[in-house]
Every structure is written in structure tokens, then in C-alpha cells.
Coordinates of all heavy atoms in Angstrom, one line a residue:
M1 N 4.0 -9.5 -22.2 CA 3.7 -8.9 -23.4 C 2.3 -8.1 -23.3 O 1.4 -8.7 -22.9 CB 3.7 -9.9 -24.6 CG 3.2 -9.4 -25.8 SD 3.3 -10.7 -27.1 CE 4.0 -9.8 -28.5
A2 N 2.2 -6.8 -23.7 CA 0.9 -6.2 -23.5 C 0.0 -6.6 -24.5 O 0.3 -7.1 -25.7 CB 1.3 -4.6 -23.7
R3 N -1.2 -6.6 -24.1 CA -2.3 -7.0 -25.0 C -2.6 -5.9 -26.0 O -2.7 -4.7 -25.5 CB -3.6 -7.3 -24.1 CG -4.7 -7.8 -25.1 CD -5.8 -8.3 -24.1 NE -7.0 -8.8 -24.9 CZ -8.0 -8.1 -25.2 NH1 -8.3 -6.9 -24.6 NH2 -9.0 -8.6 -26.0
A4 N -2.9 -6.3 -27.3 CA -3.2 -5.1 -28.3 C -4.6 -4.6 -28.0 O -5.5 -5.1 -27.4 CB -3.3 -5.8 -29.7
A5 N -4.6 -3.3 -28.3 CA -5.9 -2.5 -28.1 C -7.0 -3.1 -28.9 O -6.8 -3.7 -30.1 CB -5.7 -1.1 -28.6
T6 N -8.2 -3.2 -28.6 CA -9.4 -3.7 -29.4 C -9.7 -3.0 -30.6 O -10.3 -3.6 -31.6 CB -10.6 -3.7 -28.5 OG1 -11.0 -2.3 -28.2 CG2 -10.5 -4.6 -27.3
T7 N -9.0 -1.8 -30.9 CA -9.2 -1.2 -32.1 C -8.1 -1.4 -33.2 O -8.0 -0.8 -34.2 CB -9.3 0.3 -31.9 OG1 -8.1 0.8 -31.1 CG2 -10.5 0.6 -30.9
T8 N -7.2 -2.4 -32.9 CA -6.1 -2.6 -33.9 C -6.4 -3.4 -35.0 O -6.0 -3.3 -36.1 CB -4.9 -3.1 -33.1 OG1 -5.3 -4.3 -32.5 CG2 -4.3 -2.2 -32.2
D9 N -7.3 -4.5 -34.8 CA -7.7 -5.4 -36.0 C -9.0 -6.0 -35.7 O -9.5 -6.0 -34.6 CB -6.6 -6.3 -36.2 CG -6.3 -7.2 -35.2 OD1 -7.1 -7.6 -34.3 OD2 -5.0 -7.5 -34.9
A10 N -9.5 -6.8 -36.7 CA -10.7 -7.5 -36.6 C -10.7 -8.5 -35.4 O -11.6 -8.8 -34.8 CB -11.2 -7.9 -37.9
F11 N -9.5 -9.2 -35.3 CA -9.4 -10.3 -34.3 C -9.8 -9.8 -33.0 O -10.4 -10.3 -32.2 CB -7.9 -10.9 -34.4 CG -7.7 -11.8 -35.6 CD1 -7.1 -11.2 -36.7 CD2 -7.8 -13.2 -35.4 CE1 -6.9 -12.1 -37.7 CE2 -7.6 -13.9 -36.5 CZ -7.2 -13.4 -37.7
N12 N -9.1 -8.8 -32.6 CA -9.4 -8.1 -31.3 C -10.7 -7.5 -31.2 O -11.4 -7.7 -30.2 CB -8.3 -7.0 -31.0 CG -6.9 -7.6 -30.7 OD1 -6.7 -8.5 -29.9 ND2 -6.0 -7.1 -31.3
A13 N -11.2 -6.9 -32.2 CA -12.5 -6.4 -32.0 C -13.7 -7.5 -31.9 O -14.6 -7.2 -31.2 CB -12.9 -5.5 -33.4
V14 N -13.6 -8.4 -32.5 CA -14.6 -9.5 -32.3 C -14.3 -10.5 -31.1 O -15.2 -11.3 -30.9 CB -14.8 -10.4 -33.7 CG1 -15.1 -9.6 -34.9 CG2 -13.5 -11.3 -34.0
A15 N -13.3 -10.3 -30.5 CA -13.1 -11.0 -29.2 C -14.2 -10.6 -28.1 O -14.5 -11.5 -27.2 CB -11.8 -10.7 -28.7
E16 N -14.8 -9.5 -28.3 CA -15.8 -9.0 -27.3 C -17.2 -9.5 -27.8 O -17.6 -9.3 -28.9 CB -15.9 -7.5 -27.3 CG -16.3 -6.9 -26.0 CD -17.7 -7.1 -25.5 OE1 -18.5 -7.0 -26.4 OE2 -17.9 -7.3 -24.4
P17 N -17.9 -10.2 -26.8 CA -19.2 -10.9 -27.3 C -20.2 -10.0 -27.7 O -20.9 -10.2 -28.7 CB -19.7 -11.7 -26.0 CG -18.4 -11.8 -25.2 CD -17.4 -10.7 -25.5
R18 N -20.4 -8.7 -27.1 CA -21.3 -7.9 -27.5 C -21.1 -7.3 -29.0 O -22.0 -7.2 -29.8 CB -21.4 -6.6 -26.7 CG -21.9 -6.9 -25.3 CD -23.4 -7.3 -25.4 NE -24.0 -7.3 -24.1 CZ -25.3 -7.7 -23.8 NH1 -26.1 -7.8 -24.7 NH2 -25.7 -7.8 -22.6
R19 N -19.8 -7.1 -29.3 CA -19.5 -6.7 -30.8 C -19.9 -7.9 -31.7 O -20.4 -7.7 -32.8 CB -18.1 -6.2 -30.9 CG -17.9 -4.9 -30.2 CD -16.5 -4.3 -30.5 NE -15.4 -4.9 -29.7 CZ -14.9 -4.4 -28.7 NH1 -15.6 -3.4 -28.0 NH2 -13.9 -4.8 -28.1
R20 N -19.7 -9.1 -31.3 CA -20.1 -10.2 -32.1 C -21.6 -10.2 -32.3 O -22.1 -10.5 -33.4 CB -19.6 -11.6 -31.7 CG -18.1 -11.7 -31.7 CD -17.7 -13.2 -31.6 NE -18.2 -13.8 -30.3 CZ -17.4 -13.7 -29.1 NH1 -16.2 -13.1 -29.0 NH2 -18.0 -14.3 -28.1
Q21 N -22.3 -9.9 -31.2 CA -23.9 -9.8 -31.4 C -24.2 -8.7 -32.4 O -25.2 -8.9 -33.2 CB -24.4 -9.4 -30.1 CG -24.5 -10.6 -29.1 CD -25.2 -10.2 -27.8 OE1 -24.7 -9.3 -27.1 NE2 -26.2 -11.0 -27.4
I22 N -23.6 -7.6 -32.4 CA -23.8 -6.6 -33.3 C -23.6 -7.0 -34.7 O -24.3 -6.7 -35.5 CB -23.1 -5.3 -33.0 CG1 -23.5 -4.6 -31.5 CG2 -23.1 -4.2 -33.9 CD1 -22.7 -3.5 -31.0
L23 N -22.5 -7.7 -34.9 CA -22.2 -8.1 -36.3 C -23.3 -9.1 -36.8 O -23.6 -9.0 -37.9 CB -20.9 -8.7 -36.4 CG -19.6 -7.8 -36.1 CD1 -18.2 -8.6 -36.1 CD2 -19.6 -6.7 -37.1
D24 N -23.6 -10.0 -35.8 CA -24.8 -10.9 -36.3 C -26.0 -10.2 -36.6 O -26.7 -10.5 -37.7 CB -25.1 -11.9 -35.0 CG -24.0 -12.9 -34.6 OD1 -23.1 -13.1 -35.5 OD2 -24.1 -13.4 -33.4
L25 N -26.5 -9.1 -35.9 CA -27.6 -8.2 -36.2 C -27.5 -7.6 -37.5 O -28.3 -7.6 -38.4 CB -28.0 -7.3 -35.1 CG -28.4 -7.9 -33.9 CD1 -28.5 -6.9 -32.7 CD2 -29.8 -8.7 -34.0
L26 N -26.1 -7.0 -37.8 CA -25.9 -6.4 -39.0 C -25.7 -7.3 -40.3 O -25.9 -6.8 -41.5 CB -24.7 -5.5 -38.8 CG -24.9 -4.3 -37.8 CD1 -23.6 -3.6 -37.8 CD2 -26.1 -3.4 -38.3
A27 N -25.5 -8.5 -40.0 CA -25.4 -9.5 -41.1 C -26.7 -9.7 -41.9 O -26.7 -10.0 -43.1 CB -24.8 -10.8 -40.5
A28 N -27.7 -9.4 -41.1 CA -29.1 -9.5 -41.7 C -29.5 -8.2 -42.6 O -30.4 -8.2 -43.3 CB -30.2 -9.8 -40.6
G29 N -28.8 -7.1 -42.4 CA -28.9 -6.0 -43.1 C -28.7 -4.7 -42.3 O -28.4 -4.8 -41.2
E30 N -28.8 -3.7 -43.1 CA -28.4 -2.2 -42.5 C -29.5 -2.0 -41.3 O -30.7 -2.3 -41.5 CB -28.5 -1.3 -43.5 CG -28.1 0.1 -43.2 CD -28.0 0.9 -44.4 OE1 -29.1 1.2 -44.9 OE2 -27.1 1.5 -44.6
R31 N -29.1 -1.4 -40.3 CA -29.9 -1.0 -39.2 C -29.5 0.3 -38.6 O -28.4 0.7 -38.4 CB -29.8 -2.0 -38.0 CG -30.5 -3.5 -38.4 CD -30.4 -4.2 -37.2 NE -30.7 -5.6 -37.4 CZ -32.1 -6.0 -37.3 NH1 -33.0 -5.2 -36.9 NH2 -32.4 -7.2 -37.6
P32 N -30.6 1.1 -38.1 CA -30.2 2.3 -37.3 C -29.7 1.9 -35.9 O -30.1 0.9 -35.3 CB -31.6 3.1 -37.2 CG -32.6 2.0 -37.5 CD -31.9 1.0 -38.2
V33 N -29.1 2.8 -35.2 CA -28.5 2.5 -34.0 C -29.5 2.3 -32.9 O -29.4 1.5 -32.0 CB -27.5 3.7 -33.5 CG1 -28.3 5.0 -33.3 CG2 -26.8 3.2 -32.4
N34 N -30.7 2.8 -33.0 CA -31.8 2.7 -32.1 C -32.3 1.3 -32.1 O -32.7 0.6 -31.1 CB -32.9 3.7 -32.3 CG -32.5 5.0 -31.8 OD1 -31.6 5.3 -31.0 ND2 -33.2 6.1 -32.3
D35 N -32.3 0.7 -33.4 CA -32.8 -0.7 -33.4 C -31.7 -1.6 -32.7 O -32.2 -2.5 -32.0 CB -32.8 -1.3 -34.9 CG -34.2 -0.6 -35.5 OD1 -34.9 0.1 -35.0 OD2 -34.2 -1.0 -36.7
L36 N -30.5 -1.3 -32.8 CA -29.5 -2.2 -32.1 C -29.5 -1.9 -30.7 O -29.5 -3.0 -30.0 CB -28.2 -1.8 -32.6 CG -27.8 -2.0 -34.1 CD1 -26.4 -1.3 -34.5 CD2 -27.8 -3.5 -34.4
V37 N -29.9 -0.8 -30.1 CA -30.1 -0.5 -28.7 C -31.2 -1.5 -28.2 O -31.1 -2.2 -27.1 CB -30.4 0.9 -28.5 CG1 -30.9 1.2 -27.1 CG2 -29.2 1.7 -28.8
V38 N -32.4 -1.4 -28.9 CA -33.5 -2.3 -28.4 C -33.1 -3.7 -28.5 O -33.4 -4.4 -27.5 CB -34.8 -1.9 -29.3 CG1 -35.9 -2.8 -29.1 CG2 -35.1 -0.4 -29.1
L39 N -32.6 -4.2 -29.6 CA -32.4 -5.6 -29.8 C -31.4 -6.1 -28.8 O -31.4 -7.2 -28.5 CB -32.0 -5.9 -31.1 CG -33.1 -5.7 -32.3 CD1 -32.4 -5.6 -33.7 CD2 -34.1 -6.7 -32.2
L40 N -30.3 -5.4 -28.6 CA -29.3 -5.8 -27.6 C -29.7 -5.4 -26.1 O -29.1 -6.2 -25.2 CB -28.0 -5.1 -27.9 CG -27.4 -5.4 -29.3 CD1 -26.3 -4.3 -29.6 CD2 -26.9 -6.8 -29.3
G41 N -30.6 -4.6 -25.8 CA -31.0 -4.3 -24.4 C -30.0 -3.6 -23.7 O -29.8 -3.8 -22.6
L42 N -29.1 -2.8 -24.4 CA -28.2 -1.9 -23.9 C -28.4 -0.5 -24.0 O -29.3 -0.1 -24.7 CB -26.8 -2.2 -24.6 CG -26.2 -3.7 -24.5 CD1 -25.0 -3.7 -25.5 CD2 -25.9 -4.1 -23.1
A43 N -27.7 0.3 -23.2 CA -27.9 1.7 -23.3 C -27.2 2.1 -24.5 O -26.3 1.6 -25.1 CB -27.2 2.4 -22.1
Q44 N -27.8 3.3 -25.1 CA -27.3 3.8 -26.4 C -25.8 4.1 -26.4 O -25.0 3.8 -27.4 CB -28.1 5.0 -26.8 CG -27.8 5.5 -28.3 CD -26.6 6.4 -28.3 OE1 -26.4 7.3 -27.4 NE2 -25.9 6.5 -29.3
P45 N -25.3 4.7 -25.4 CA -23.8 4.9 -25.2 C -23.0 3.7 -25.3 O -21.9 3.7 -26.0 CB -23.6 5.8 -23.9 CG -24.9 6.3 -23.6 CD -25.9 5.3 -24.1
Q46 N -23.4 2.6 -24.8 CA -22.7 1.3 -24.9 C -22.7 0.8 -26.3 O -21.6 0.4 -26.7 CB -23.4 0.3 -24.0 CG -23.1 0.6 -22.4 CD -24.0 -0.6 -21.6 OE1 -25.1 -0.7 -21.6 NE2 -23.2 -1.3 -20.8
V47 N -23.8 0.9 -26.8 CA -23.8 0.4 -28.3 C -22.9 1.3 -29.2 O -22.3 0.8 -30.0 CB -25.4 0.4 -28.8 CG1 -25.5 0.0 -30.2 CG2 -26.1 -0.7 -28.1
S48 N -23.0 2.7 -29.0 CA -22.2 3.6 -29.8 C -20.7 3.2 -29.6 O -20.0 3.3 -30.5 CB -22.6 4.9 -29.4 OG -23.8 5.2 -30.0
K49 N -20.4 3.0 -28.4 CA -18.9 2.6 -28.1 C -18.5 1.4 -28.8 O -17.4 1.4 -29.4 CB -18.7 2.3 -26.6 CG -17.4 2.1 -26.2 CD -17.2 1.6 -24.7 CE -17.3 0.1 -24.7 NZ -17.1 -0.5 -23.4
H50 N -19.4 0.3 -28.8 CA -19.0 -0.9 -29.6 C -19.0 -0.6 -31.1 O -18.1 -1.2 -31.8 CB -20.0 -1.9 -29.3 CG -19.8 -2.5 -27.9 ND1 -18.6 -3.1 -27.3 CD2 -20.7 -2.7 -26.9 CE1 -18.8 -3.4 -26.1 NE2 -20.1 -3.4 -25.9
L51 N -19.9 0.2 -31.6 CA -20.0 0.4 -33.1 C -18.7 1.3 -33.3 O -18.1 1.2 -34.6 CB -21.2 1.4 -33.3 CG -22.5 0.4 -33.4 CD1 -23.7 1.3 -33.4 CD2 -22.5 -0.5 -34.6
R52 N -18.2 2.2 -32.5 CA -17.1 3.0 -32.9 C -15.9 2.0 -33.1 O -15.2 2.1 -34.0 CB -16.8 3.9 -31.8 CG -15.5 4.8 -32.0 CD -15.1 5.8 -30.9 NE -15.1 5.1 -29.6 CZ -14.3 4.5 -29.0 NH1 -13.1 4.1 -29.7 NH2 -14.4 3.9 -27.8
V53 N -15.7 1.0 -32.2 CA -14.6 0.0 -32.3 C -14.8 -0.7 -33.7 O -13.7 -0.9 -34.4 CB -14.5 -0.9 -31.1 CG1 -13.6 -2.0 -31.4 CG2 -14.3 -0.2 -29.8
L54 N -16.0 -1.1 -33.9 CA -16.2 -1.9 -35.1 C -15.9 -1.0 -36.3 O -15.4 -1.5 -37.4 CB -17.6 -2.5 -35.3 CG -17.8 -3.7 -34.1 CD1 -19.4 -3.8 -34.2 CD2 -17.0 -4.9 -34.4
R55 N -16.3 0.2 -36.3 CA -16.0 1.0 -37.4 C -14.4 1.3 -37.6 O -14.0 1.4 -38.7 CB -16.6 2.6 -37.2 CG -17.9 2.7 -37.8 CD -18.5 4.2 -37.7 NE -17.8 5.1 -36.9 CZ -18.2 5.4 -35.7 NH1 -19.2 4.9 -35.2 NH2 -17.5 6.3 -35.0
E56 N -13.8 1.4 -36.5 CA -12.3 1.8 -36.6 C -11.5 0.7 -37.1 O -10.5 0.9 -37.8 CB -11.9 2.1 -35.2 CG -12.2 3.5 -34.7 CD -11.9 3.8 -33.2 OE1 -11.2 3.0 -32.6 OE2 -12.1 5.0 -32.8
V57 N -12.1 -0.6 -36.9 CA -11.3 -1.8 -37.7 C -11.9 -2.0 -39.0 O -11.4 -2.9 -39.7 CB -11.3 -2.9 -36.8 CG1 -10.5 -2.6 -35.5 CG2 -12.6 -3.6 -36.6
G58 N -12.9 -1.4 -39.5 CA -13.5 -1.5 -40.9 C -14.6 -2.6 -40.9 O -15.0 -2.9 -42.0
L59 N -15.1 -3.0 -39.8 CA -16.1 -4.1 -39.9 C -17.5 -3.5 -40.1 O -18.4 -4.2 -40.5 CB -16.0 -4.9 -38.5 CG -15.0 -5.9 -38.6 CD1 -14.7 -6.5 -37.1 CD2 -15.4 -7.1 -39.5
V60 N -17.6 -2.2 -39.7 CA -19.0 -1.7 -39.9 C -18.6 -0.4 -40.6 O -17.7 0.4 -40.4 CB -19.5 -1.4 -38.4 CG1 -20.7 -0.5 -38.5 CG2 -20.0 -2.7 -37.8
Q61 N -19.8 0.1 -41.5 CA -19.8 1.2 -42.2 C -21.1 2.0 -41.6 O -22.2 1.4 -41.3 CB -19.7 1.1 -43.7 CG -18.4 0.5 -44.1 CD -18.5 0.4 -45.7 OE1 -19.5 0.7 -46.3 NE2 -17.5 -0.2 -46.3
V62 N -21.0 3.4 -41.7 CA -22.2 4.1 -41.2 C -22.6 5.2 -42.3 O -21.6 5.7 -42.9 CB -21.8 4.7 -39.9 CG1 -20.7 5.7 -39.9 CG2 -23.1 5.5 -39.3
R63 N -23.8 5.5 -42.5 CA -24.2 6.6 -43.3 C -25.5 7.4 -42.6 O -26.1 6.8 -41.9 CB -24.6 6.1 -44.8 CG -25.7 5.3 -44.8 CD -26.0 4.8 -46.1 NE -27.2 3.9 -46.2 CZ -28.5 4.4 -46.5 NH1 -28.6 5.6 -47.0 NH2 -29.5 3.6 -46.5
D64 N -25.4 8.5 -43.0 CA -26.5 9.4 -42.3 C -27.6 9.5 -43.2 O -27.4 9.7 -44.5 CB -26.0 10.9 -42.0 CG -25.0 10.8 -41.0 OD1 -25.0 10.0 -40.1 OD2 -23.9 11.7 -41.0
V65 N -28.8 9.2 -42.7 CA -30.0 9.3 -43.5 C -31.0 10.3 -42.7 O -31.5 9.9 -41.7 CB -30.8 7.9 -43.6 CG1 -32.0 8.2 -44.4 CG2 -29.8 7.0 -44.3
G66 N -30.9 11.5 -43.0 CA -31.7 12.5 -42.2 C -31.1 12.5 -41.0 O -29.8 12.9 -40.8
R67 N -31.8 12.3 -39.9 CA -31.2 12.4 -38.4 C -30.8 11.1 -37.9 O -30.3 11.0 -36.9 CB -32.3 13.1 -37.5 CG -32.7 14.5 -38.0 CD -33.7 15.1 -37.1 NE -33.4 14.8 -35.6 CZ -34.3 15.1 -34.7 NH1 -35.4 15.8 -35.0 NH2 -33.9 14.9 -33.4
R68 N -31.0 10.0 -38.8 CA -30.6 8.7 -38.4 C -29.3 8.3 -38.9 O -28.8 8.7 -39.9 CB -31.6 7.7 -38.7 CG -33.0 7.9 -38.2 CD -34.1 7.0 -38.7 NE -33.9 5.9 -39.4 CZ -34.7 4.9 -39.4 NH1 -35.8 4.9 -38.8 NH2 -34.3 3.8 -40.1
R69 N -28.6 7.5 -38.1 CA -27.4 6.9 -38.6 C -27.5 5.4 -38.8 O -27.9 4.7 -37.9 CB -26.2 7.1 -37.4 CG -25.9 8.5 -37.3 CD -24.8 8.8 -36.3 NE -23.5 8.2 -36.7 CZ -22.4 8.8 -37.3 NH1 -22.6 9.9 -37.9 NH2 -21.4 8.1 -37.5
M70 N -27.3 5.1 -40.0 CA -27.6 3.6 -40.5 C -26.2 2.9 -40.5 O -25.2 3.4 -41.2 CB -28.1 3.5 -41.9 CG -29.5 4.4 -41.9 SD -30.8 3.6 -40.8 CE -31.2 2.0 -41.8
Y71 N -26.1 1.7 -39.9 CA -24.9 0.9 -39.8 C -25.2 -0.3 -40.6 O -26.2 -0.9 -40.6 CB -24.7 0.5 -38.4 CG -24.3 1.8 -37.5 CD1 -25.2 2.6 -36.9 CD2 -22.9 2.1 -37.3 CE1 -24.7 3.6 -36.1 CE2 -22.4 3.3 -36.7 CZ -23.4 3.9 -36.1 OH -23.0 5.1 -35.3
R72 N -24.1 -0.8 -41.3 CA -24.1 -2.0 -42.0 C -22.8 -2.7 -41.8 O -21.6 -2.0 -41.7 CB -24.4 -1.7 -43.5 CG -23.3 -1.0 -44.2 CD -23.8 -0.9 -45.9 NE -22.8 -0.2 -46.5 CZ -22.7 1.2 -46.7 NH1 -23.6 2.0 -46.1 NH2 -21.9 1.7 -47.3
L73 N -22.8 -3.9 -42.0 CA -21.6 -4.8 -42.0 C -20.7 -4.7 -43.3 O -21.2 -4.6 -44.3 CB -22.1 -6.2 -41.8 CG -21.0 -7.4 -41.8 CD1 -20.0 -7.2 -40.6 CD2 -21.6 -8.8 -42.0
D74 N -19.4 -4.5 -43.0 CA -18.5 -4.7 -44.1 C -17.7 -5.9 -43.9 O -16.8 -6.0 -43.0 CB -17.5 -3.5 -44.2 CG -16.6 -3.5 -45.3 OD1 -16.5 -4.5 -45.9 OD2 -16.0 -2.5 -45.7
P75 N -17.9 -7.0 -44.6 CA -17.5 -8.3 -44.2 C -15.9 -8.4 -44.7 O -15.2 -9.4 -44.2 CB -18.2 -9.4 -45.1 CG -18.8 -8.6 -46.1 CD -19.0 -7.0 -45.6
E76 N -15.3 -7.5 -45.4 CA -14.1 -7.6 -45.9 C -13.0 -8.0 -44.8 O -12.2 -8.9 -44.9 CB -13.5 -6.4 -46.7 CG -12.2 -6.5 -47.3 CD -12.1 -7.7 -48.3 OE1 -13.0 -8.1 -48.9 OE2 -10.9 -8.3 -48.4
P77 N -12.9 -7.2 -43.7 CA -12.0 -7.5 -42.6 C -12.2 -8.9 -42.0 O -11.2 -9.4 -41.3 CB -12.3 -6.5 -41.6 CG -12.9 -5.3 -42.3 CD -13.7 -6.1 -43.4
L78 N -13.3 -9.5 -42.1 CA -13.5 -10.8 -41.6 C -12.7 -11.9 -42.3 O -12.5 -13.1 -41.8 CB -15.0 -11.2 -41.5 CG -15.8 -10.3 -40.5 CD1 -17.4 -10.7 -40.7 CD2 -15.4 -10.7 -39.2
K79 N -12.4 -11.6 -43.7 CA -11.7 -12.5 -44.4 C -10.4 -13.0 -43.8 O -10.0 -14.2 -43.8 CB -11.3 -11.9 -45.8 CG -10.8 -12.8 -46.8 CD -10.6 -12.3 -48.2 CE -10.0 -13.2 -49.1 NZ -9.0 -14.2 -48.7
A80 N -9.7 -12.1 -43.1 CA -8.4 -12.4 -42.4 C -8.8 -13.5 -41.3 O -8.0 -14.4 -41.2 CB -7.8 -11.3 -41.8
I81 N -9.8 -13.4 -40.6 CA -10.2 -14.4 -39.6 C -10.6 -15.8 -40.3 O -10.1 -16.8 -39.9 CB -11.5 -13.9 -38.7 CG1 -10.9 -12.6 -37.9 CG2 -11.9 -14.9 -37.8 CD1 -12.0 -11.8 -37.2
H82 N -11.4 -15.5 -41.4 CA -11.7 -16.8 -42.0 C -10.5 -17.5 -42.6 O -10.4 -18.7 -42.4 CB -12.6 -16.4 -43.1 CG -13.1 -17.6 -43.9 ND1 -12.5 -17.9 -45.2 CD2 -14.2 -18.4 -43.7 CE1 -13.3 -19.0 -45.6 NE2 -14.2 -19.2 -44.9
D83 N -9.6 -16.9 -43.1 CA -8.4 -17.5 -43.7 C -7.5 -18.2 -42.6 O -6.9 -19.2 -42.8 CB -7.6 -16.4 -44.4 CG -8.3 -16.0 -45.8 OD1 -9.2 -16.5 -46.2 OD2 -7.8 -14.9 -46.3
W84 N -7.5 -17.4 -41.5 CA -6.7 -18.0 -40.4 C -7.4 -19.3 -39.9 O -6.7 -20.2 -39.5 CB -6.6 -16.9 -39.2 CG -5.7 -17.5 -38.0 CD1 -4.4 -17.6 -37.9 CD2 -6.4 -18.0 -36.9 NE1 -4.1 -18.1 -36.8 CE2 -5.3 -18.4 -36.0 CE3 -7.7 -18.0 -36.4 CZ2 -5.4 -18.9 -34.8 CZ3 -7.8 -18.6 -35.2 CH2 -6.6 -19.0 -34.3
L85 N -8.7 -19.4 -39.8 CA -9.5 -20.5 -39.3 C -9.4 -21.6 -40.3 O -9.6 -22.9 -39.9 CB -10.8 -20.1 -38.9 CG -10.9 -19.2 -37.7 CD1 -12.5 -18.7 -37.5 CD2 -10.6 -20.1 -36.5
R86 N -9.2 -21.5 -41.6 CA -9.3 -22.4 -42.7 C -8.5 -23.8 -42.3 O -9.0 -24.9 -42.5 CB -9.0 -21.8 -44.0 CG -9.3 -22.9 -45.0 CD -9.2 -22.3 -46.5 NE -10.2 -21.4 -46.6 CZ -10.1 -20.2 -47.2 NH1 -8.9 -19.7 -47.5 NH2 -11.0 -19.3 -47.3
P87 N -7.3 -23.6 -41.8 CA -6.6 -24.8 -41.6 C -7.2 -25.7 -40.4 O -6.8 -26.9 -40.3 CB -5.2 -24.3 -41.2 CG -5.1 -23.0 -41.6 CD -6.4 -22.5 -41.7
Y88 N -8.1 -25.2 -39.7 CA -8.7 -25.9 -38.6 C -10.0 -26.5 -39.0 O -10.7 -27.1 -38.0 CB -8.9 -24.8 -37.4 CG -7.5 -24.5 -36.8 CD1 -7.1 -23.1 -37.3 CD2 -6.6 -25.0 -36.0 CE1 -5.9 -22.6 -36.8 CE2 -5.4 -24.7 -35.6 CZ -5.0 -23.4 -36.1 OH -3.8 -22.8 -35.7
D89 N -10.5 -26.3 -40.2 CA -11.6 -27.0 -40.6 C -11.7 -28.4 -40.2 O -12.8 -29.0 -40.0 CB -11.9 -26.8 -42.1 CG -12.3 -25.4 -42.4 OD1 -12.7 -24.6 -41.6 OD2 -12.2 -25.0 -43.7
F90 N -10.6 -29.2 -40.4 CA -10.6 -30.7 -40.2 C -11.0 -30.9 -38.7 O -11.7 -32.0 -38.4 CB -9.2 -31.2 -40.4 CG -8.3 -30.9 -39.3 CD1 -8.0 -31.7 -38.2 CD2 -7.5 -29.7 -39.4 CE1 -7.1 -31.3 -37.2 CE2 -6.5 -29.3 -38.4 CZ -6.4 -30.2 -37.3
A91 N -10.7 -30.1 -37.8 CA -11.1 -30.3 -36.4 C -12.6 -30.2 -36.2 O -13.2 -30.9 -35.4 CB -10.3 -29.3 -35.5
A92 N -13.1 -29.2 -36.9 CA -14.6 -29.1 -36.8 C -15.4 -30.2 -37.4 O -16.3 -30.7 -36.9 CB -15.0 -27.7 -37.5
E93 N -14.7 -30.7 -38.6 CA -15.4 -31.9 -39.1 C -15.2 -33.0 -38.2 O -16.3 -33.9 -38.1 CB -14.7 -32.1 -40.5 CG -15.1 -31.1 -41.5 CD -14.1 -31.2 -42.7 OE1 -13.3 -32.2 -42.8 OE2 -14.2 -30.3 -43.7
A94 N -14.2 -33.2 -37.5 CA -14.0 -34.3 -36.5 C -15.0 -34.3 -35.5 O -15.5 -35.3 -35.0 CB -12.6 -34.4 -36.1
L95 N -15.4 -33.0 -35.1 CA -16.4 -32.9 -34.0 C -17.8 -33.1 -34.3 O -18.7 -33.2 -33.6 CB -16.1 -31.6 -33.3 CG -14.8 -31.4 -32.6 CD1 -14.7 -29.9 -32.0 CD2 -14.7 -32.4 -31.5
A96 N -18.1 -33.0 -35.6 CA -19.4 -33.1 -36.1 C -20.0 -34.5 -35.9 O -19.3 -35.4 -36.3 CB -19.5 -32.6 -37.7
P97 N -21.3 -34.6 -35.5 CA -21.9 -35.9 -35.4 C -22.0 -36.6 -36.8 O -22.2 -36.0 -37.9 CB -23.3 -35.6 -34.8 CG -23.6 -34.1 -35.0 CD -22.1 -33.5 -35.3
A98 N -21.8 -37.9 -36.6 CA -21.9 -38.6 -38.0 C -23.4 -38.8 -38.5 O -24.3 -38.7 -37.7 CB -21.3 -40.1 -37.8
A99 N -23.4 -38.6 -39.9 CA -24.8 -38.6 -40.4 C -25.5 -39.8 -40.5 O -24.9 -40.9 -40.5 CB -24.8 -37.9 -41.9

């Protein structure tokens, strides 16, 4: 069975660790692409490629402010992942150290 493209849904998009790092940074608030480049230590084309994937699945929104492109998290597509993980909460609780 062929693997789905990373641009088909949020599950596939967040499978890539760098994209999860970008989401973590954007969870703190809107950022210009150059900030993401510096914080991630990646080349601008690499960051832009990951942002494109995240935009295509709806996890990131972009707006132009003058010459800058500002990116922000749109958490709505993460709801599907959250809903899928909910039945496994018991397993996480079992692994948590006793208080």
C-alpha cells in the first residue's frame, strides 16, 4: 500500500519532526518566517517548504504585513489528532509516575 503524501492531512504533516517544531514555535504566537529560520537553524527554503505543507493541510495561516509574511497556528486540524488519541489517555495515565 502506498504511503499518503504529507500534504493530505494533519496526521501526515505532523509526522515530520521539523514541522512539529514549527508548530511548537507558532503555538506561542504569530512569527515572521525569518524568526523561524533563526530559531530552527535551517535555511529559509527548507523552512518555507515545511510551512507550505502545513499551510496546505490548514495547520498554518499566513498574512502579509508589508514585505513580511507572518505565520500563525490554526489549531482546528489538530482536533482530529486529539480526538483520535483520546481513547489512549488511559495508557498515558498508566505510565505516569505515582504522586
Side-chain angles (χ1 to χ4, degrees):
M1 176 181 221
R3 185 169 179 261
T6 58
T7 58
T8 59
D9 61 38
F11 285 91
N12 286 311
V14 301
E16 212 290 323
R18 290 292 187 182
R19 289 196 276 272
R20 291 194 305 270
Q21 284 181 307
I22 291 170
L23 294 176
D24 289 343
L25 292 170
L26 294 177
E30 188 175 58
R31 293 183 181 272
V33 68
N34 289 336
D35 283 5
L36 296 171
V37 166
V38 170
L39 292 167
L40 294 167
L42 296 174
Q44 190 273 331
Q46 289 175 295
V47 174
S48 291
K49 179 188 93 168
H50 290 306
L51 286 168
R52 179 182 49 79
V53 171
L54 293 170
R55 264 194 345 265
E56 287 176 357
V57 299
L59 284 166
V60 168
Q61 294 181 0
V62 63
R63 67 185 180 98
D64 293 328
V65 178
R67 294 177 52 180
R68 294 172 22 152
R69 294 180 60 91
M70 301 295 289
Y71 290 87
R72 70 178 179 273
L73 175 67
D74 182 349
E76 183 61 31
L78 292 173
K79 186 177 181 330
I81 296 170
H82 181 265
D83 291 347
W84 180 78
L85 286 171
R86 187 172 290 130
Y88 301 97
D89 284 347
F90 74 91
E93 291 170 7
L95 294 174

